[in-house]
């Protein structure tokens, strides 16, 4: 495949540091050089995230988890962009651009980042999401202009649906088990992962992953020669 002179997008989504990089690098490469992504069907995800985020707007941080510094959730669903990412002391063409879920302003002037999840997946561990949260922290601490904000804490706020509530159609729903999963700062690991992603993007088109159901479907379908 011919590589264009310039990528179609130079802003890296924080979520690409988790799911996309850990599955197949080929679709990731196509996404940035050609701005073509596979359609994703995730019914209810947007609605559940919005409801969960709304629930925590203006919340006191220690009521979310006693380990958190005193402060309040003051911002939500805002885009953050970084200056060019530096690898080995050199500017690259790539920047971070993404929308965090919740951000606190702490009494000591630092900030706390929280990523909301409605999920029962065992994968909701701090280690898996660390590079994604670090990417938001990188953008907050390395903005293209203006004052940087020190991120003192990062974590996942997980709602796991466990039971039903209510006794009539107007007043019923799901009950949840809530847990806060602290994600320790790990800038070294973030720099390792983002370096790997940038070297994938700057390289030639990677091979497809043999385990991907989408690519296997497309290969089988194309072999039918229907069109
Ligand atoms: S295997 Fe194919 S469809 Fe699946 S992620 Fe890779 S390139 Fe994309």
């Amino acid at each position: 495949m011919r590589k264009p002179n310039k990528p179609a997008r130079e802003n890296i989504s924080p979520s690409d540091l988790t799911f996309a990089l850990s599955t197949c690098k080929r679709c990731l490469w196509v996404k940035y050089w050609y701005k073509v992504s596979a359609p994703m069907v995730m019914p209810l995800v947007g609605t559940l995230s919005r409801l969960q985020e709304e629930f925590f707007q203006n919340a006191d941080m220690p009521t979310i988890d006693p380990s958190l510094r005193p402060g309040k959730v003051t911002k939500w669903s805002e885009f953050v962009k970084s200056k060019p990412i530096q690898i080995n002391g050199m500017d690259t063409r790539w920047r971070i651009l993404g929308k965090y879920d919740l951000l606190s302003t702490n009494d000591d002037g630092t900030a706390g980042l929280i990523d909301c999840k409605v999920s029962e997946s065992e994968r909701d561990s701090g280690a898996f999401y660390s590079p994604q949260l670090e990417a938001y922290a990188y953008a907050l601490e390395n903005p293209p202009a203006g004052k940087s904000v020190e991120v003192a804490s990062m974590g996942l706020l997980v709602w796991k649906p466990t039971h039903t509530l209510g006794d009539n159609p107007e007043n019923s729903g799901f009950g949840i088990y809530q847990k806060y999963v602290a994600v320790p700062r790990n800038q070294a690991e973030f720099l390792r992962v983002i370096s790997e992603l940038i070297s994938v993007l700057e390289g030639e088109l990677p091979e497809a992953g043999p385990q991907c159901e989408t690519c296997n479907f497309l290969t089988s379908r194309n072999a039918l020669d229907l069109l």
Side-chain angles (χ1 to χ4, degrees):
M1 180 183 281
R2 198 179 61 78
K3 199 170 174 182
N5 293 331
K6 199 175 171 313
R9 48 177 293 181
E10 294 177 342
N11 295 322
I12 294 176
S13 302
S15 59
D16 283 341
L17 296 170
T18 50
F19 298 103
L21 196 59
S22 62
T23 51
C24 172
K25 299 172 175 64
R26 191 178 177 92
C27 264
L28 189 63
W29 190 95
V30 171
K31 173 179 174 180
Y32 284 89
W33 284 94
Y34 287 92
K35 217 173 183 174
V36 174
S37 301
M40 287 208 291
V41 183
M42 295 199 287
L44 278 181
V45 168
T47 305
L48 292 173
S49 311
R50 179 179 52 78
L51 291 172
Q52 194 186 20
E53 282 166 33
E54 282 174 7
F55 187 83
F56 290 103
Q57 291 172 6
N58 301 309
D60 276 313
M61 290 291 273
T63 63
I64 294 174
D65 192 83
S67 69
L68 294 170
R69 295 188 188 191
K72 261 184 189 293
V73 174
T74 51
K75 296 180 181 172
W76 40 86
S77 295
E78 286 194 8
F79 276 100
V80 279
K81 187 173 184 175
S82 74
K83 62 185 183 187
I85 298 163
Q86 283 204 332
I87 303 290
N88 298 328
M90 304 280 290
D91 275 359
T92 65
R93 63 173 115 205
W94 308 96
R95 296 168 188 260
I96 297 293
L97 176 67
K99 192 160 67 163
Y100 59 73
D101 291 341
L102 304 174
L103 188 73
S104 72
T105 302
N106 299 333
D107 294 354
D108 62 6
T110 61
L113 259 174
I114 295 180
D115 201 42
C116 293
K117 307 245 166 272
V118 179
S119 167
E120 57 179 4
S121 169
E122 291 306 315
R123 194 176 54 186
D124 291 335
S125 71
F128 182 73
Y129 286 102
S130 170
Q132 181 177 345
L133 282 162
E134 279 290 349
Y136 293 117
Y138 184 88
L140 288 160
E141 294 176 343
N142 298 278
K147 212 165 156 267
S148 70
V149 182
E150 183 196 343
V151 176
S153 64
M154 310 190 307
L156 307 176
L157 191 43
V158 183
W159 278 3
K160 178 179 177 178
T162 51
H163 56 285
T164 52
L165 292 169
D167 50 13
N168 65 68
E170 276 79 45
N171 183 28
S172 56
F174 294 106
I176 54 98
Y177 167 72
Q178 174 180 312
K179 68 174 174 181
Y180 176 79
V181 181
V183 179
R185 293 295 311 263
N186 192 343
Q187 288 162 307
E189 175 63 4
F190 165 71
L191 287 173
R192 187 195 68 74
V193 174
I194 197 87
S195 300
E196 182 191 342
L197 188 145
I198 288 173
S199 91
V200 166
L201 296 179
E202 292 292 358
E204 295 303 318
L205 178 69
E207 292 296 320
Q211 305 301 330
C212 176
E213 289 178 11
T214 309
C215 223
N216 291 340
F217 163 73
L218 290 171
T219 306
S220 306
R221 189 183 182 286
N222 290 343
L224 298 176
D225 202 18
L226 295 173
L227 297 176

